[in-house]
Amino acid sequence: MYALVDAVSYYASAEKVFDPSIRNKPVVVLTNNDGCICAVDPIARKLGIPKFIPYFQIKNFLVKHNVVVRSSNYELYADLSERMMNVVGRFCDNQYVYSIDESFLHFKNYNSLIKDWHQYGHKIRRAVWRETRLPVGVGFGTTPTLAKAANHAAKKLDGYNGVAVINDDRSRKEILDKMSLTDVWGIGTKLGKRLNILGINTAWELANQSPKAMRSQFSVLVERTVNELNGIACLNWDEVRQDKKEIFSTRSFGQRVVDYNALKAAITSHGCIVARKVRKQRSLIKRLLVFASSSPHDDNYYKKSLIYEFPVATDNTLKIAAAISFIFDEIFLDGVNFYRCGAGAIELENCQFHQHDMFNVSVNNPELMQCYDHINNRYGNGVIEVAAAGQREKWEMRRSFLSPGYTSKWADIPKIIC
Amino acid sequence: MKFIPILIQAGISGFESPAAEYKELGLSLDKLLISNPDATFFGLAQGESMVEAGIFDGDLLLVDRSEEVKDGDVIVANYNGCFTCKYIDKKYARLLSASPKYLPVSISPEDEFQLEGVVTCSFRLHRKLRELLACMH
């Protein structure tokens, strides 16, 4: 048996944990730079507020309905996520943390121990609520994809109340019948439309397709999904998340940038973030894309992007900063109001299977980078930084509605009235 | 591959400390006081209603959400949208203060009320801590 446990509108729920004054109010959370709405709590959902709508478009509506607006407080979400995962992990010896608010559990040989999965699901829910004040949904299924489907039912379908179990044909049909295609794990909007054309509209209809036919018409991934929907487990943790093929760090500026050094610092800083992520998945950068642009709504829209190819693939932050510095003059143009910039590793090599070059010496410095990452992990990101990444102020994320760092800053710990 | 950590000694070596066998991990306040780190948070006491329980304005509180709440415990509750620290009187559903200046508060069905956790310990800071000064106000 598999389970998927995830939080109900995680970011919005996390905002309520240490702020009891908003527990019963509608809450929405905004993305980076307060651009769009990325989380809508169940109370706000009842007001009909959609996800991913630009904030400025719905601002007046939010004011009118007294909706609480928050910027993304990643420090808080990271801390609460860890707590939640630890509590969930107590309920199974095989846990796979899939994202900031989702984790899979794989129960092997538990059938003699757990008679009632519903009850067990509610036990998990109660424990997480009690110890972290986060509401979670629990879905059980005989494969990861069915667990994910049950989780969807637990949270979105009437009558499930936070826990759903798919452990026989009846429960499987009941839930899959009510699920649209794109609610199935691994079926995106595009794929969903192509399947719709074939007359496949629900998860149950997809489950009844021939896996072989799906493979020849679409891909091995769709074949796998069909098998998983029929109770044949095909996914394991390693396949659930593969290494990323590309890693980008990019963002629009809180306020426009015209200064040469400021833009250079911003791009370098994005390069450093990419380098850190690349090291984390033990890859090396072969080709790096660097770009900057004004806004497409501006007159004389300006956009320039360049690719730097490293002679030998590297994960060395210093070399990446040097590469950016090397090509930066070709990107910068005097007089442009820069709105957006970024860097992205577009060709990665695996650290383990790295092909050495006879003529070019590796420029990596694993000891230095390890030390650099250790310091930043221990004392907080940005504690040490390459000088070229400069100071952050001007282009740092706009977070006008940021809640306090209740669990990460002493000055922000919650006040308790005596 | 597994490494077996046996130290090989060669050449000049000093004398092993006779206390080496007795060495243990240092004392950690976290380990001593926080039995459920995932369910525990820090808070800052504000107000004088719990002084006879030894909790003064500006004290640091440790709140454990996983502890079972017993009658008469010092607890933190969400009382009408505020974190509030009081004694809990389960029998009569009241919040009691530890000071004669404050009357008991009865919890009525119209009130928003959730138990948040048990105050497992509180700290008096006899010297002001720079980190906490900002949140005292």
Side-chain angles (χ1 to χ4, degrees), chain B residues 75-115:
Chain B
I75 53 96
V76 169
N78 166 19
Y79 181 66
N80 292 327
C82 270
F83 282 151
T84 308
C85 172
K86 296 282 175 199
Y87 284 124
I88 184 84
D89 173 5
K90 282 180 145 181
K91 203 170 161 193
Y92 299 104
R94 290 187 307 173
L95 296 171
L96 309 178
S97 293
S99 159
K101 290 182 202 155
Y102 295 81
L103 292 172
V105 179
S106 292
I107 306 156
S108 69
E110 298 85 62
D111 284 321
E112 186 187 341
F113 183 82
Q114 286 164 313
L115 269 173

Side-chain angles (χ1 to χ4, degrees), chain A residues 72-310:
Chain A
S72 290
N73 186 342
Y74 293 109
E75 295 82 354
L76 178 68
Y77 308 154
D79 181 81
L80 286 175
S81 167
E82 199 184 318
R83 291 166 181 248
M84 173 179 128
M85 295 309 173
N86 289 341
V87 177
V88 173
R90 286 209 310 259
F91 289 86
C92 183
D93 59 343
N94 188 353
Q95 180 189 28
Y96 180 82
V97 176
Y98 178 65
S99 75
I100 189 163
D101 74 322
E102 297 170 280
S103 74
F104 281 99
L105 303 173
H106 185 189
F107 299 91
K108 260 188 206 160
N109 308 324
Y110 275 67
N111 281 329
S112 56
L113 293 170
I114 300 166
K115 295 279 173 257
D116 186 339
W117 291 98
H118 268 110
Q119 206 180 28
Y120 200 65
H122 281 294
K123 221 168 140 183
I124 297 175
R125 252 168 73 84
R126 270 199 305 274
V128 178
W129 173 254
R130 179 171 172 189
E131 296 184 30
T132 67
R133 278 293 182 272
L134 289 168
V136 293
V138 186
F140 291 98
T142 44
T143 67
T145 305
L146 285 176
K148 186 119 175 158
N151 177 282
H152 172 86
K155 296 196 305 183
K156 300 276 164 70
L157 299 183
D158 284 339
Y160 284 96
N161 224 348
V163 179
V165 182
I166 296 181
N167 56 355
D168 55 19
D169 278 340
R170 195 190 52 79
S171 53
R172 191 166 66 94
K173 182 171 191 311
E174 193 176 304
I175 286 171
L176 296 187
D177 240 353
K178 292 180 194 150
M179 275 174 73
S180 68
L181 269 185
T182 45
D183 288 330
V184 176
W185 195 24
I187 308 292
T189 325
K190 265 190 199 163
L191 196 54
K193 277 190 185 137
R194 286 172 62 199
L195 287 159
N196 287 156
I197 294 168
L198 298 178
I200 305 166
N201 292 307
T202 67
W204 178 246
E205 284 163 6
L206 179 64
N208 285 314
Q209 301 301 311
S210 141
K212 285 275 165 299
M214 287 294 109
R215 180 183 191 151
S216 59
Q217 273 175 288
F218 296 96
S219 68
V220 66
L221 297 173
V222 181
E223 179 194 25
R224 236 190 244 174
T225 302
V226 172
N227 277 329
E228 284 248 327
L229 288 175
N230 285 293
I232 303 161
C234 309
L235 296 166
N236 62 48
W237 302 155
D238 299 330
E239 283 162 307
V240 167
R241 182 162 54 191
Q242 288 178 332
D243 280 350
K244 291 200 181 100
K245 306 270 187 294
E246 288 186 340
I247 293 177
F248 271 82
S249 172
T250 143
R251 192 170 296 143
S252 47
F253 292 113
Q255 46 177 290
R256 298 297 183 96
V257 168
V258 288
D259 181 56
Y260 177 92
N261 288 318
L263 184 70
K264 193 170 175 177
I267 296 184
T268 308
S269 187
H270 284 300
C272 295
I273 292 170
V274 171
R276 191 180 73 223
K277 290 184 175 169
V278 162
R279 286 195 293 275
K280 205 169 171 200
Q281 69 166 27
R282 299 170 62 77
S283 298
L284 300 168
I285 305 174
K286 182 64 182 161
R287 296 203 301 159
L288 183 75
L289 177 86
V290 179
F291 75 92
S293 72
S294 62
S295 160
H297 303 295
D298 292 350
D299 296 336
N300 307 320
Y301 175 51
Y302 175 86
K303 180 173 183 180
K304 189 76 181 270
S305 58
L306 285 175
I307 292 169
Y308 185 92
E309 181 161 346
F310 290 93

